[in-house]
Every structure is written in structure tokens, then in C-alpha cells.
Amino acid sequence: MKLITEKRELSSQLFRFIAPIISVLVALFVAGFLLQAAGVNPAQAYFEILQEALGSTYGLSETLVKTTPLIFASLGVSLAFRMQIWNIGAEGQIYMGACGASGVALFSGIESHPVMITAMFLAAFLCGGLWAGVAGILRARWRVNEVIVTLLMNYIAILGVDYLIYGPWKDPKGYNFPLTAQFSDAARLTEYFDTRFHSGFFLALFCALVLYLFMERTVWGYEIKVIGSNPKAARYAGMRTGLAIFAVLFLSGAIAGIAGFGEVAGLQHRLQHGISPGYGYTAIIIAWLAKRSALGVVIVSFLMGVLLVGGDSLQLTWQLPVAFVYAFQGLILFFLLASDFFIHNRLKLVKGDHHA
Amino acid sequence: MSNLLQIQNIRKTFPGVVALDDISLSIAPGEIHTLLGENGAGKSTLMNVLTGLYRPDRGEILFDGAPIHFNSPRDSLAVGIGMVHQHFMLVPAHTVFENILLALDGVPLLFSKKKYKQQVQTILDDLELDLDLDDPVWKLSIGAQQWIELIKLLARDCRLLILDEPTAVLTPQESARLFEVLTRLRDRGKSILFISHKMREVMELSDRVTVLKKGCSLVTLKRGEYDENRLASLMIGEDQIPMWIKPACKRDQLALEIKNLSVRNTRGRADLDNFNMKLYRGQILGVAGVAGNGQKPLAEVLTGLKEATSGRILAGDKDITNSTARSSYIAGIAHIPEDRKSIGIAPDMTVGDNLIMKNFNSKLFRRWIFQDRAAIRKNATAKIDQFAIKAGPDGNPVRYLSGGNIQKVIIARELSEKPAVLVALYPTRGLDIGSAEYVHKVIIDGANQGMSTILISEDLDELLKLSDEIVVMFRGRLVGCVDPQETTREEIGLLMSGEVQT
């Protein structure tokens, strides 16, 4: 007897759909052992995550607060993925977006709320876009691998922002903390229900809708899909693939940049150290889990939001390290990639040795 | 007679399609067995079953009398079944020897290069092949690359050699050489499964021929039991191969003129060298030549995929030398590319989406920035109907279609804008007789309506049948121009080899 793998010619549609769900469940199961090892009852811990993230107005609002940047960043990442462009730099693009929006908020002196918010939005869009656009130009003109460029530019962005807030942009009245001065009221997004939940969430939903229409209904979406499916054929059909690579990376970074805008305008009201605790990396997992669909991104971002908020409470009540949440995210991605294998192959037990 | 390979009642289905339905076939040791059939008849599927890429749903494969089950090409290689694919599996930057070494099993971590080289050289000497083991593969002609593929299998001591359309890329002279070698291998007891569409080769070479049609093995005939007419009628199911009436081209109106065109490749060598050509309205101009003598760059430069180094291309009185693929298309040049799967289609997208790839931006399929899905669907239905494309269920990705049907999708798309000029690169390569006839009919119909065609092909029969004039290319130059009514195969063959010039 031995175990062999065999290609499925027809991967089941149903299985394709439930595979991500199974992956999450298996990840939960395996993470259970980690919890057990840390002396925590897994069932209790999971219940607590749900309770904490969804069981109260405060918890739910916090979950949505975390969901917001995740939606933006994941939309950006998944747009690039659709064209087989791997933008690993959403984290840096968030920082650049936050930086651009903060610059406008701090130094433009605009007093009208709508004008200020629009200007901040555009600045974030542009900064995130141009940051990713660098990788776009390098890739389109000299075929430099965008994975490396976007990844490494994360560090430049994060450290660049650190320079500003430790240096020239530091709030003189901030007791030497690495943060800028508070924004004026004109530069704040509306908050609801006396919580930190802000209108950036609705902007994220709107953005998802626009992106869905863009990909599925417009001529440009069609072009992106053709290029993603076969770049040579796209060139042969007269599409300007170089321009498309730049445009898609620009847009991808710009949307991730909006996440930075949401964080400073809606939440922190200033630029500070660690403005994103790795949303840009989580976005990669989300884009993959969501199979790059805009609706999927919204749902999965929410689930990740639950996990982040719930994970925080685990830290508080059980003194678990934050690394647990990251480990859990890693497990999900791991099982998800594994599930891709099982979508296309099946395991089979055969008797004897068939290899002549 | 004990058979080396016996295939019994193999059945293989894909979603919605029966690719192989009850195929039986046997191959004896020391036999050249030819598999003949239209595209979609199941030849490729059968090959993929034999080389372990697909698993049959039903039926049995016996090798040396013992039943075998393959899970991967590795398993089939292990029992001694090897295949020379249409698309070579070689590493261009490596040397001939390194490529052969890659194919061998059980080479120890530290090995004696000399010993292995000696071994390979013995095979070469034995077959009287002149091949330098230290040459990098990219330097070699297509014909020489094919030898490497064959030697890879011989070095592994494969007992059954499968050759998929091996002569498609060879000159008549090279083909003859290949047949010589195959016959010699046969006489030494190797079994050869040969796939071809070319009747003449089949007649010349085979000990037995099996005709496949619609996934069934129709009949196996021994040498002497078949002739050209019988095989053709078995394959396409009618007794007569229709001959199309060639349109008389008046040569009064110039459609395209190429003046002193040169193209250099990345290594600085000339792909096209001072090339001159005139194409008249309604003319079918055949371009003969061994693959790799500038035909592809010619097509690419005409369709805007490559830039000319010097020289000019004139369409009427318009200079179209350097324009992008799209503006060429608008200027009226359509292109059927050589490598349909790698550049002709977006494999994951639907047939409908692929049909509009060239004119997705036109007002026909677009409302402002949005695509007009209804118009795209309507266009797909019309084209599928008009060109008899077997497209499968609605929304089927184009990669599930057979080669012939993919080619039809490309042709339907290219001809939909009523182009003034069609550049067709090997438009019937790998197609079955039925599909090939259809492509020919489309080209002739187009010519009758005033479309000019540059027909680049290695199939002399096709060129002789369709062309008003045949030009021959060698090393990027035009070395000859012959009248198809008067020329002979031998004359063209000699021109192709670069030995004479007219």
C-alpha cells in the first residue's frame, strides 16, 4: 500500500469555494495546540475572540476600525495580483499615503473641511501611487522584479516616516514623543456612535464597489485580465503592456495609500510611529484568501479584523504575546496554499507497487 | 507476435467531451506505426495517456505483456516510453551535452564527464549524426535541436519512441534524413509511434497505420493495404479532397511594398537582410523556407511587433514601417501568429473574450469605458457559428479547445475587421486535413474579395496549391521567386537549402 497523488482534471467548483473555509478551520485547529501549549483552553480562547470582537458596540466598532485599512490595502494588492504583478509593498504604500495626507493636514492651512479632506485624500492617493509606481517603472522598462522592489521600499517608507516624526515634523509640544502635532478639526473624518468608528469604512466599501466594476465591466479591466492571462498575447493584440504594468502598480499603491489616509484622518489624527502594524502584509493573505475578488476582500478583511481585535484581548486576559496572532495568520496562509494543491490534485491509496 | 505495447479499450473523458472512446492499438517490437487523424480525433490525448500526463477512465495499457499505470511522465520514461514533442524541451543556453545529460537518470553527484560524453558520442557516431556536443543549443537549427530530443531518448534506452509531427519543422532534405535514421532504429528493434498528417510520409515510412476519428480507432492497415486516397477518405470521411479554384490575381494594384528591409536581432545578427517584396491586391504570396530563416521576423515587422533597423514598408502610399500592432491593424494588416497557444490567445479567458482581443476598444464592444457584454456575447455566437468553432459550453476558457478550434478562434478574430492584408504564419501547422482545408478556403475566399495574403508555410503542397507566386527565404534574404505552375519540389527544396539562387 502506498499513497500517491493524482491530478484532478476537473476541480470541483464546490471544493474551490469551500477550500478557503476549510483552511481557516484547519488553521484554527492547529493553532489550538499552540494555545494548549501556552496553557490556554482553545475553545474558551476562540469564544473570547468572538465575544470581544463582535459582542459589544465597542468591540464591533473596533473591529470595523481595523477592517477599514485592511480593505483598502487588500484591494490594492489584489488589483495587482489580477495582472500577475506581485505587490508586496502595501505596507510601505500605507506609510507613504499617511505621510502625504499628514503633510497636507499639517502644512496646507486649509480651513474648509471638505476641501481639506479631499486634498488629504488626493495626497495619499498620489504618494502611495508614486511609491508603487517606482517599482512599476523599473518592472516595465528594465524588467526588475517587482517583488523585491516593493518589499524593500517598505523599509525605506517606514524609516522615512520615522525620520520625519523623530525629526522635522515632531510636535514641539509632544514631550519628545515620535509624533506630529494633532491635526486641526478640518482634517478629521466623521466619527460615529461615540466610538473610534469613522467614515473611512464607508469609503472602503465604496472603493470595493468601484474596483469591482472596474475589473469586471470596463475595457481597462478586460485589458488587465488579458495581460494577466498571457502578456505575450496582450502585446500581440496591441496592448501597451509596459504602460499597463505601471498604471496597475500605481493604482495598486494608490489604493493602499488611501489606507494611510484613513488611519491618520479617521483614527490617529496625527502621523506617528507604527501607523500600520503590518496591515500591508496581512493584505497579501487577504487578497489570496479572497481569490482576488473585491467582495471577497471585504468579507475576509472583516474576519481578519475580528482576529486582530480578538487577539488583542487574548494578550490582555491571557498574557499571550501578539506573535500568536501573526502565527495564526501564517497558519491560515499556509493551509490555504496547501488547499490549492488539493484543489488540483487528489490523494489516493493504491495497493502494491505499480511502477514497473 | 507478442506486442511491445498494447492499448485496450481506452476511454478518456473531459468535462462535456469524450476525447477517447474505446481506443485499441498495438505496437510490435521493431515496427514503425503511424497514427493518423484529424485534430480533435484524440491523437494528443492518446499521447498524453501514453506518456503519463493523463489517466484513462477505463481500459488497459500493457507494456511487455504486463499492465501498467502511469502517474507521471517519469513513470512512463521509466518503463522505456519516450516522446519527442512538437515543442522541444531544451535549455537553450546549455550545450547539447548538458541537455542530454539532463535527460539521464542515475547520474551520480560526482560523475565522469568524459565517460558520459563518450557514451553520447557513440550514439551520434552510430547514427552518423554530425553534432558538436559542446555547442550551445540556441545556436543550432531546429532540425539539429530535434536530433537532440531523439538522442535524449536513445541515451535513456527507450524502447518505444513517440514522435509528434516531427517533420513539421524540417526541410524535405532533413525529413529524408530523419526517415533514414528512423528506419535504421526500427531495424534494430526499436518501436516507433509516428504522428503525422502528411500522406506522403505516411506512405513512405510506416509498417502499419492506424486511423483515428472522433476518439475511436477506426482501422489499422498494414503496408500495402492503403494508399493516399484510402487514408484521406478514412480521415475526413469523404472520398474526394476538394480542390479550391485559385483566383487569378491581376497584379494591377499594389497592396504592400517592402523596400530594403533589414532587422537585427538582439545578438546583432541580421534576421532580415535587405529584403524586397511586392504584394498585389488579391494576391496570395507564398513564402517558403526552412523555419528560422527570417519568416517570423518578417511577419513581426509587418504586424508591428518588431522594429525595422532600416528599410521601408509601404501600404499603398502610406509608410507603415514603424507602427504599433494596433495602428497596423487599423491600417489593415491581420496576423495569424506562428505560435498560437503562446501568443494568439489569453488561455484563461472565454472564447468570446478572446474573439474581441484585437478590437476590444472599438465602438462595437464598448460604451464609454464600459464593455458591452451583450454585444460581445452576440459577436461570439455569430463567429462560433460562422467558423464552425467547437467552443464547448458558454463561458468555456479557450484553453480547453483543441488546437484546430483555437486556430479557428484566431482566424475568426483576425478576419473580422476585413483586413486588406493577412500575414499568415504556418496557418495549418498541426491542423487536421479538415481544419486545414477550411483555413485554405478562408484565405482563398478572402483573396477573391481583394484581401492580399502573405502565406508563410513549410508545407510545399499548401504553397503550391494556394499561391500565385512563391518566394523563398534563406538567412533573412529573398533567394528565389518561382511560379507555382512551373516549379518543382526539388527546385524549391534547393532554394530553401541556400545552395542556389534565382
Side-chain angles (χ1 to χ4, degrees):
Chain A
M1 293 281 267
K2 68 182 205 170
L3 202 58
I4 58 165
T5 62
E6 180 181 299
K7 262 205 156 54
R8 293 175 204 260
E9 266 95 36
L10 180 65
S11 38
S12 134
Q13 283 301 320
L14 178 72
F15 190 54
R16 206 179 269 271
F17 180 72
I18 60 172
I21 300 169
I22 296 177
S23 316
V24 172
L25 291 178
V26 177
L28 281 172
F29 181 74
V30 174
F33 288 100
L34 291 180
L35 286 169
Q36 198 87 56
V40 178
N41 179 344
Q44 215 176 331
Y46 292 148
F47 179 75
E48 182 146 336
I49 288 179
L50 289 179
Q51 174 81 31
E52 189 64 31
L54 304 171
S56 66
T57 319
Y58 170 77
L60 190 61
S61 73
E62 278 304 295
T63 301
L64 292 180
V65 162
K66 301 255 193 250
T67 306
T68 306
L70 288 176
I71 293 179
F72 284 124
S74 315
L75 286 175
V77 170
S78 63
L79 172 68
F81 281 11
R82 282 298 276 269
M83 212 171 82
Q84 312 269 319
I85 296 283
W86 314 108
N87 176 9
I88 309 299
E91 184 76 358
Q93 291 140 23
I94 294 174
Y95 272 86
M96 289 316 286
C99 179
S102 303
V104 169
L106 293 170
F107 306 114
S108 71
I110 299 171
E111 279 168 22
S112 144
H113 173 69
V115 175
M116 177 61 126
I117 291 296
T118 313
M120 288 171 70
F121 176 87
L122 289 177
F125 188 86
L126 218 61
C127 286
L130 290 175
W131 199 248
V134 173
I137 292 171
L138 289 172
R139 166 72 201 265
R141 279 207 79 98
W142 295 288
R143 309 174 124 252
V144 181
N145 188 325
E146 77 281 2
V147 174
I148 310 280
V149 177
T150 51
L151 178 67
L152 292 181
M153 281 177 68
N154 284 344
Y155 299 101
I156 304 177
I158 294 168
L159 293 171
V161 166
D162 274 356
Y163 163 73
L164 288 176
I165 55 185
Y166 280 96
W169 288 14
K170 188 160 69 179
D171 183 7
K173 290 176 236 125
Y175 305 102
N176 231 9
F177 279 110
L179 25 86
T180 66
Q182 279 258 345
F183 297 169
S184 67
D185 283 348
R188 289 169 171 236
L189 289 174
T190 321
E191 287 165 7
Y192 305 96
F193 314 121
D194 222 6
T195 60
R196 302 204 300 164
F197 176 62
H198 57 87
S199 57
F201 179 70
F202 302 109
L203 185 65
L205 292 185
F206 179 70
C207 198
L209 179 70
V210 170
L211 212 63
Y212 170 80
L213 291 176
F214 177 83
M215 276 313 296
E216 302 305 327
R217 292 279 178 273
T218 69
V219 184
W220 299 313
Y222 173 83
E223 245 177 297
I224 289 172
K225 282 184 281 186
V226 172
I227 295 171
S229 174
N230 185 353
K232 276 191 193 162
R235 214 169 82 78
Y236 155 78
M239 295 175 188
R240 296 161 70 185
T241 51
L243 185 71
I245 287 171
F246 171 76
V248 160
L249 263 170
F250 177 90
L251 217 54
S252 169
I255 298 169
I258 304 174
F261 156 77
E263 291 304 281
V264 292
L267 203 60
Q268 313 291 358
H269 310 303
R270 53 160 49 111
L271 187 62
Q272 62 185 41
H273 179 72
I275 193 88
S276 160
Y279 292 139
Y281 298 113
T282 307
I284 298 165
I285 304 175
I286 296 174
W288 208 275
L289 266 167
K291 305 269 171 208
R292 301 156 216 182
S293 96
L295 176 69
V297 161
V298 172
I299 295 170
V300 180
S301 295
F302 180 72
L303 293 178
M304 283 293 176
V306 168
L307 188 65
L308 285 175
V309 172
D312 279 351
S313 82
L314 290 187
Q315 288 179 59
L316 289 174
T317 40
W318 309 94
Q319 271 74 54
L320 283 172
V322 68
F324 171 75
V325 174
Y326 297 136
F328 185 66
Q329 282 181 2
L331 282 170
I332 293 179
L333 188 62
F334 178 79
F335 286 111
L336 194 72
L337 293 175
S339 83
D340 261 5
F341 174 79
F342 288 106
I343 288 175
H344 299 294
N345 296 275
R346 68 173 133 229
L347 286 179
K348 211 173 171 183
L349 217 50
V350 289
K351 281 179 197 154
D353 187 17
H354 280 304
H355 299 259
Chain B
M1 181 173 70
S2 77
N3 286 316
L4 178 70
L5 180 83
Q6 180 119 24
I7 300 170
Q8 279 165 354
N9 311 103
I10 290 281
R11 182 184 167 87
K12 173 79 200 167
T13 54
F14 293 107
V17 195
V18 180
L20 295 178
D21 185 11
D22 205 27
I23 296 269
S24 297
L25 181 77
S26 66
I27 297 168
E31 176 190 39
I32 297 183
H33 195 125
T34 298
L35 207 54
L36 201 62
E38 298 207 311
N39 255 27
K43 295 185 310 289
S44 314
T45 314
L46 185 58
M47 290 313 102
N48 286 335
V49 166
L50 281 181
T51 52
L53 278 170
Y54 293 156
R55 284 174 72 93
D57 303 340
R58 211 175 58 204
E60 223 179 359
I61 304 172
L62 302 172
F63 195 80
D64 253 352
I68 44 173
H69 300 270
F70 297 141
N71 281 310
S72 77
R74 181 181 287 272
D75 298 347
S76 97
L77 270 172
V79 300
I81 299 178
M83 175 151 173
V84 176
H85 291 266
Q86 266 186 63
H87 300 279
F88 303 146
M89 317 283 180
L90 296 171
V91 188
H94 285 192
T95 65
V96 174
F97 174 67
E98 285 165 343
N99 269 283
I100 295 170
L101 199 66
L102 266 179
L104 292 177
D105 267 347
V107 178
L109 194 59
L110 294 169
F111 64 96
S112 149
K113 200 168 171 180
K114 211 168 141 198
K115 192 187 101 196
Y116 280 98
K117 238 182 188 165
Q118 194 58 53
Q119 209 175 316
V120 174
Q121 193 63 50
T122 317
I123 300 175
L124 286 180
D125 294 344
D126 188 39
L127 297 175
E128 292 165 38
L129 287 176
D130 183 25
L131 211 58
D132 189 340
L133 286 177
D134 294 320
D135 271 346
V137 164
W138 59 263
K139 269 191 179 173
L140 302 178
S141 71
I142 300 285
Q145 295 188 16
Q146 192 172 58
W147 288 122
I148 305 175
E149 288 285 2
L150 192 62
I151 289 158
K152 269 159 72 174
L153 303 184
L154 294 174
R156 294 188 61 110
D157 232 359
C158 284
R159 293 160 68 194
L160 173 62
L161 310 172
I162 304 173
L163 287 88
D164 191 5
E165 302 262 348
T167 56
V169 290
L170 303 181
T171 58
Q173 284 85 350
E174 282 176 319
S175 297
R177 182 83 185 92
L178 175 69
F179 292 166
E180 225 177 274
V181 169
L182 290 182
T183 313
R184 193 182 296 191
L185 289 171
R186 188 251 329 260
D187 293 343
R188 293 198 196 139
K190 298 273 187 205
S191 300
I192 293 159
L193 186 56
F194 191 84
I195 302 165
S196 176
H197 297 300
K198 295 186 188 168
M199 294 294 177
R200 249 164 7 105
E201 298 173 357
V202 172
M203 314 282 303
E204 224 171 279
L205 192 68
S206 322
D207 297 310
R208 285 194 297 167
V209 177
T210 294
V211 181
L212 288 188
K213 192 174 161 69
K214 288 182 183 155
C216 295
S217 39
L218 270 188
V219 61
T220 301
L221 299 167
K222 284 203 191 86
R223 180 190 283 275
E225 289 177 350
Y226 55 78
D227 59 30
E228 207 160 332
N229 283 335
R230 175 131 168 75
L231 290 176
S233 65
L234 277 171
M235 261 173 82
I236 61 173
E238 38 187 303
D239 282 325
Q240 227 175 1
I241 303 173
M243 276 296 277
W244 311 104
I245 299 139
K246 214 181 292 182
C249 164
K250 285 196 290 278
R251 303 199 184 185
D252 50 356
Q253 216 179 325
L254 211 52
L256 206 63
E257 191 177 3
I258 299 174
K259 280 184 180 170
N260 305 323
L261 191 72
S262 292
V263 174
R264 295 194 174 279
N265 63 22
T266 42
R267 286 191 289 277
R269 296 195 296 184
D271 274 344
L272 279 183
D273 192 4
N274 238 340
F275 191 83
N276 287 288
M277 197 174 86
K278 275 182 182 163
L279 180 69
Y280 293 93
R281 186 165 184 274
Q283 188 185 27
I284 300 176
L285 181 69
V287 178
V290 181
N293 275 292
Q295 297 96 322
K296 199 174 166 189
L298 174 64
E300 285 178 341
V301 102
L302 282 175
T303 50
L305 288 172
K306 238 191 184 128
E307 300 276 303
T309 322
S310 63
R312 300 212 299 158
I313 307 168
L314 304 169
D317 46 4
K318 234 172 86 192
D319 189 324
I320 58 160
T321 313
N322 286 315
S323 48
T324 67
R326 180 183 315 288
S327 49
S328 300
Y329 186 65
I330 292 161
I333 297 183
H335 182 198
I336 299 175
E338 175 187 19
D339 204 342
R340 46 182 163 267
K341 276 188 188 164
S342 88
I343 78 166
I345 52 163
D348 301 324
M349 299 180 72
T350 64
V351 175
D353 277 344
N354 269 281
L355 280 169
I356 61 156
M357 221 163 81
K358 277 266 169 97
N359 48 0
F360 69 96
N361 234 336
S362 110
K363 283 265 176 343
L364 285 174
F365 305 118
R366 186 166 74 112
R367 271 181 308 202
W368 188 45
I369 59 165
F370 295 106
Q371 289 196 297
D372 187 345
R373 300 306 309 181
I376 292 168
R377 217 171 304 122
K378 220 171 115 194
N379 173 63
T381 320
K383 288 276 152 38
I384 286 170
D385 201 44
Q386 186 190 343
F387 286 83
I389 302 167
K390 288 191 191 111
D394 226 20
N396 204 15
V398 80
R399 70 189 144 102
Y400 289 139
L401 271 55
S402 73
N405 281 306
I406 289 178
Q407 187 73 325
K408 281 183 182 174
V409 169
I410 294 171
I411 291 172
R413 179 181 69 212
E414 293 299 320
L415 297 188
S416 59
E417 296 273 276
K418 300 232 174 299
V421 176
L422 169 69
V423 181
L425 234 72
Y426 313 105
T428 58
R429 179 191 278 177
L431 295 194
D432 56 83
I433 292 183
S435 301
E437 289 292 350
Y438 189 79
V439 172
H440 290 167
K441 183 177 170 326
V442 167
I443 291 175
I444 289 182
D445 284 351
N448 282 331
Q449 289 165 25
M451 179 178 79
S452 316
T453 303
I454 296 176
L455 174 66
I456 299 171
S457 174
E458 78 272 334
D459 182 345
L460 292 187
D461 292 327
E462 177 174 271
L463 289 172
L464 292 167
K465 189 169 125 189
L466 295 180
S467 315
D468 293 298
E469 190 181 3
I470 298 176
V471 298
V472 184
M473 290 184 77
F474 180 72
R475 298 214 174 132
R477 283 172 170 276
L478 201 152
V479 290
C481 181
V482 296
D483 181 346
Q485 310 288 344
E486 288 161 16
T487 185
T488 57
R489 284 167 194 289
E490 286 66 31
E491 187 187 9
I492 299 178
L494 282 173
L495 284 168
M496 281 164 73
S497 65
E499 295 193 2
V500 287
Q501 226 168 323
T502 55

